[in-house]
Amino acid sequence: MSTMEIPVLEDGVWIVGPDGELIPDYDATFPTINEGEVVHGTVVRVDKDEVLVDIGYKSEGVIPVSELSIRRSVNPADEVSLGEEIDALVMTKEDAEGRLILSKKRARFELAWKAIEAAAESGEAVNGRVIEVVKGGLILDLGVRGFLPASLVDIRRVQDLDEFTGKELRCKVIELNRSRNNVVLSRRAVLEDERKEMRQGILDRLNPGDVVDGQISNIVDFGAFVDLDGMDGLIHISELSWSHVNHPSEILEIGQTVQVKVLDIDRERQRISLGLKQTQSDPWQQVLEHYHEEDVVEGRVTKVVTFGAFVEILPGVEGLVHISELAQHHVENPREVVSQGDPVNVLILEIDGDRRRLSLSLKRVEEGAEPLPRADGGESVHLTPNLRLSEEAFPAGSESEGDSMSEMHLGAAEPAEAALALDADASELLADAVVAEEVSVELVEEAIAAEAVAIELAEDAIVADAVAHELEEESLEADAAGDAEAAVELAEEAVAVEELAVELAAEAIAADAVAVELAEEAIVADAVAVELVEEAVVEEIVAEDLLGEAVALADEDPAA
């Protein structure tokens, strides 16, 4: 007789039934789940108000439409499809109807929050798609709702935020608060980092002396900015042309492609100084190659000053005819002899190639002397000038008149040399004054730019504050309508935007302080320029007095 095997009680396999008999433990074959746990399953049904998911449990899980996405008013068919595998968070193991309630958006929230926290800690950027445009910024889907303020969407303020709807943006997390589920983003920080890397790459690639192509991006009073494939360099107005330029717009226009030379690179401040004239033929080289001292050349008077006249002998090359070299007789005012625009013949007294200076003379040009052909091959400006050297101005004298003139120069040598030295000092002081004035102008420009930033930040702060109040009102309306979840989310967004408004206001105050400081520095630089000009004028007056003394000595004692 066979013996029937009696099952042995074993946890997870057999349990004692209601009649005391052993029956299989079917519940043990189902996974153990707990509320708040994230589970994995397959979508088995999609209805208009819910989605059923098989997670291997004794009953299928139900995801209500409100728990599918952080988006509002979604269509379940747009969020999931039959057979799709998804993650869901267990909200309730058994509701009043005995159903297992799941949430897809909360599972995604938990997973996304961990990634966002890690990104915020490491400084890495996160990707999110723009799902909504609100006043004051954009809402991005990161698995959680992320707020991107309008002022942080781009480096420059964006006028139309609607163009970003549906686009995926890369942003940095600048504020994170788990207790309020609050995430504030900045796309501008990512763009600035990219630009910084690009600028650094350009700085690493360039060296002083390099000749590169660029495009004129902006024109200002003191020069022009050139876009060097992502980074702007400045051509100061003094580096635009070998000839005098009143305003950069005379020779350049925005969008124009130019070839420029790198003059200097400030890698610490990420600034590049460029030169345009250095890529053009240097007229001074033509002077050195074609002209020599004692040559007679033609030119045109460009400026008449108290101590003489400047004559341009080639475009971009001017020389000084000192007041003592204007005429054979004593000249009180250079305008007695020449006027601006007069074509003249001059004799080259000295060529200083290192300092790029020419000393010229009108009085030493012999009557009938033919000037050399222009070194640049340009059209002659020669016209016989009327320098009032007729017999009416200088009646015929004795044969020893020339000797007397020589003796006058010998007797008056000491005060004349001192006058020339003072005149040279005055010229250097004027040059220093020009540099100080340029620094002052640059500081004023920077102050204006800083003030503009302060104004923009203040405006952004006002907008953010207004948005915060509007979100607060929407939160109250949602709460009154019974939508507690929407009310909480809107209230959290209002708090985040209000904090951003405070931060922007603080940045505006800081930028305004910088603007004030720069303006003060500009005033100091301008005062230095004025002081240098005054010193130059004083030395010029003393120089004129010394020249007058030299002439007087010669008149008193021609034989000295």
Side-chain angles (χ1 to χ4, degrees):
M1 177 177 178
S2 62
T3 302
M4 184 177 184
E5 294 184 2
I6 300 175
V8 179
L9 184 63
E10 185 177 347
D11 291 341
V13 179
W14 301 95
I15 59 174
V16 178
D19 298 330
E21 74 278 14
L22 295 179
I23 60 175
D25 186 1
Y26 292 108
D27 286 343
T29 63
F30 299 115
T32 301
I33 62 173
N34 299 301
E35 292 182 359
E37 179 184 349
V38 177
V39 295
H40 190 75
T42 304
V43 176
V44 296
R45 183 174 172 180
V46 179
D47 291 332
K48 64 179 181 178
D49 56 354
E50 65 182 19
V51 172
L52 298 185
V53 181
D54 180 8
I55 63 169
Y57 196 56
K58 58 185 177 181
S59 63
E60 293 170 340
V62 179
I63 303 178
V65 65
S66 61
E67 295 298 328
L68 274 173
S69 171
I70 62 174
R71 302 168 187 254
R72 299 188 178 98
S73 302
V74 298
N75 181 1
D78 295 334
E79 296 295 322
V80 296
S81 57
L82 283 176
E84 181 181 351
E85 294 187 357
I86 62 172
D87 291 317
L89 182 138
V90 179
M91 295 179 60
T92 306
K93 291 179 67 173
E94 288 189 17
D95 67 356
E97 300 176 5
R99 301 183 305 171
L100 171 66
I101 305 300
L102 305 175
S103 173
K104 177 175 178 288
K105 76 174 184 180
R106 300 194 186 197
R108 186 164 178 252
F109 178 93
E110 291 297 328
L111 296 174
W113 193 268
K114 292 180 182 178
I116 291 171
E117 284 182 326
E121 185 176 348
S122 65
E124 294 293 324
V126 294
N127 294 322
R129 190 172 297 278
V130 178
I131 59 174
E132 193 175 343
V133 177
V134 295
K135 287 185 178 179
L138 303 171
I139 301 298
L140 273 67
D141 180 4
L142 306 171
V144 301
R145 289 170 67 87
F147 178 62
L148 175 58
S151 61
L152 302 179
V153 172
D154 208 333
I155 293 175
R156 294 180 175 84
R157 186 167 183 83
V158 178
Q159 299 298 326
D160 183 13
L161 293 175
D162 290 329
E163 65 183 68
F164 290 95
T165 302
K167 291 185 178 181
E168 187 167 297
L169 304 180
R170 188 167 178 80
C171 307
K172 279 195 173 183
V173 180
I174 60 173
E175 188 175 334
L176 194 63
N177 190 316
R178 179 60 191 265
S179 63
R180 299 199 306 267
N181 294 333
N182 181 32
V183 181
V184 181
L185 307 169
S186 172
R187 178 170 176 259
R188 185 169 72 182
V190 173
L191 297 177
E192 286 177 345
D193 285 348
E194 291 175 352
R195 174 172 285 193
K196 186 177 180 181
E197 292 177 4
M198 182 171 57
R199 289 165 66 95
Q200 191 59 52
I202 294 173
L203 289 171
D204 292 341
R205 186 177 74 246
L206 294 179
N207 291 293
D210 290 348
V211 176
V212 294
D213 291 330
Q215 191 174 63
I216 303 299
S217 59
N218 195 17
I219 294 176
V220 291
D221 290 342
F222 57 88
F225 289 95
V226 181
D227 181 4
L228 303 175
D229 292 332
M231 181 176 183
D232 281 353
L234 172 65
I235 311 175
H236 192 269
I237 190 170
S238 61
E239 303 296 341
L240 286 173
S241 173
W242 296 110
S243 302
H244 177 70
V245 177
N246 292 314
H247 194 274
S249 58
E250 295 176 0
I251 59 175
L252 295 174
E253 59 184 23
I254 294 177
Q256 179 180 346
T257 299
V258 293
Q259 190 176 68
V260 291
K261 185 174 183 178
V262 179
L263 303 181
D264 185 46
I265 299 178
D266 187 337
R267 302 187 189 278
E268 184 176 345
R269 300 173 67 189
Q270 292 196 332
R271 291 187 176 181
I272 301 176
S273 298
L274 305 172
L276 179 63
K277 69 182 183 182
Q278 287 78 4
T279 62
Q280 303 165 353
S281 176
D282 183 358
W284 257 96
Q285 191 61 37
Q286 295 178 329
V287 170
L288 296 175
E289 292 176 357
H290 295 85
Y291 296 151
H292 304 87
E293 294 177 3
E294 303 299 322
D295 284 346
V296 175
V297 296
E298 62 178 38
R300 190 175 296 277
V301 177
T302 58
K303 189 187 302 182
V304 181
V305 293
T306 57
F307 52 88
F310 288 93
V311 176
E312 183 181 68
I313 65 171
L314 288 176
V317 179
E318 290 184 349
L320 173 64
V321 180
H322 193 270
I323 189 171
S324 62
E325 294 292 336
L326 282 173
Q328 299 291 346
H329 64 283
H330 176 66
V331 178
E332 290 288 345
N333 186 346
R335 289 176 177 80
E336 298 173 2
V337 181
V338 292
S339 301
Q340 184 173 340
D342 285 351
V344 293
N345 288 339
V346 290
L347 182 138
I348 299 176
L349 297 177
E350 182 183 4
I351 300 177
D352 189 339
D354 294 333
R355 301 172 67 190
R356 304 173 74 88
R357 290 186 179 180
L358 280 176
S359 295
L360 307 173
S361 174
L362 267 175
K363 74 178 184 181
R364 304 194 193 194
V365 177
E366 296 180 1
E367 187 176 354
E370 287 292 330
L372 294 176
R374 290 175 60 90
D376 61 354
E379 184 179 353
S380 174
V381 298
H382 175 67
L383 290 173
T384 304
N386 179 12
L387 298 182
R388 306 176 193 174
L389 301 181
S390 63
E391 291 186 2
E392 183 180 357
F394 294 98
S398 65
E399 295 180 359
S400 61
E401 183 177 354
D403 296 336
S404 297
M405 291 295 292
S406 299
E407 291 170 356
M408 179 195 75
H409 286 293
L410 290 173
E414 187 173 344
E417 289 175 0
L420 291 174
L422 283 172
D423 187 62
D425 289 341
S427 297
E428 291 183 6
L429 286 169
L430 286 172
D432 292 340
V434 171
V435 173
E437 185 62 30
E438 290 173 354
V439 171
S440 175
V441 170
E442 185 175 348
L443 288 168
V444 168
E445 294 291 337
E446 292 181 4
I448 293 171
E451 183 64 27
V453 171
I455 293 172
E456 184 177 349
L457 287 168
E459 291 174 349
D460 290 344
I462 293 171
V463 172
D465 187 64
V467 171
H469 286 299
E470 186 173 332
L471 288 170
E472 287 175 0
E473 292 175 358
E474 291 181 7
S475 175
L476 293 173
E477 292 174 0
D479 186 60
D483 191 349
E485 183 180 350
V488 171
E489 288 185 1
L490 289 167
E492 291 170 351
E493 290 181 14
V495 172
V497 177
E498 184 63 36
E499 291 176 352
L500 178 64
V502 173
E503 182 180 343
L504 288 169
E507 291 181 7
I509 293 171
D512 187 64
V514 171
V516 171
E517 183 178 347
L518 288 168
E520 291 174 350
E521 292 180 8
I523 292 171
V524 172
D526 187 64
V528 170
V530 172
E531 185 177 343
L532 289 169
V533 170
E534 290 175 349
E535 290 181 15
V537 171
V538 170
E539 293 203 1
E540 191 59 48
I541 292 172
V542 174
E544 289 183 1
D545 290 342
L546 287 171
L547 281 174
E549 181 183 340
V551 173
L553 286 173
D555 290 340
E556 291 174 4
D557 188 9

